Amino acid sequence: MNPKRLYNEINTLKRKTKNLDGDIFSSNITITGDVGIGTASPDYELDVAGDIGIDEYLYHNGDADTYIRFQNNNVNMVAGGKSAIKLDTSTGKIQINNTNENLDVQIMADDGNVILHTDAGTNRVGIGTVAPEAYLDIRNTVDDGTT
């Protein structure tokens, strides 16, 4: 179906299904093709030209323990049930590995090398190494290749 025609049909459907408060109601609508909200030329299966409001969760289909959760002044990104990044303005903290799992954190350089490595299993930090041998292990490689 032509995206512009689909856009016009959805707008017609909206006008036909409005209740007295102006809200749209329906049990299910199945559409084949791309859907545009606020656009007559959608680029994706669902293309929203404008802001989107959600209450709390944005889930990955078929993977209920992978989501982004929004709460008042709080955002939490979770994958596989493990909190990767959490911002909580009430505590003034940005937390990485908030579920205290054995998940290492790496800061990467533009050439693919690891600049900073934190090892959650050993509580060690490496700068210039991915296998820190002390609580803080700094490796300084100079141009001649020595450390």
Side-chain angles (χ1 to χ4, degrees), residues 24-36:
I24 297 171
F25 59 92
S26 173
S27 56
N28 288 310
I29 298 174
T30 302
I31 298 173
T32 302
D34 296 343
V35 176

Side-chain angles (χ1 to χ4, degrees), residues 71-135:
Q71 294 175 290
N72 290 336
N73 303 312
N74 185 316
V75 178
N76 194 6
M77 186 175 75
V78 177
K82 297 170 177 57
S83 174
I85 299 173
K86 180 179 181 183
L87 166 64
D88 187 346
T89 59
S90 69
T91 62
K93 294 180 182 176
I94 298 173
Q95 296 173 315
I96 298 174
N97 191 18
N98 184 53
T99 46
N100 305 316
E101 299 289 338
N102 187 9
L103 297 172
D104 299 346
V105 175
Q106 294 183 332
I107 309 286
M108 307 300 290
D110 62 355
D111 62 2
N113 286 318
V114 178
I115 298 171
L116 176 74
H117 176 90
T118 63
D119 189 316
T122 63
N123 296 332
R124 295 179 176 176
V125 176
I127 299 175
T129 179
V130 295
E133 297 175 3
Y135 289 121

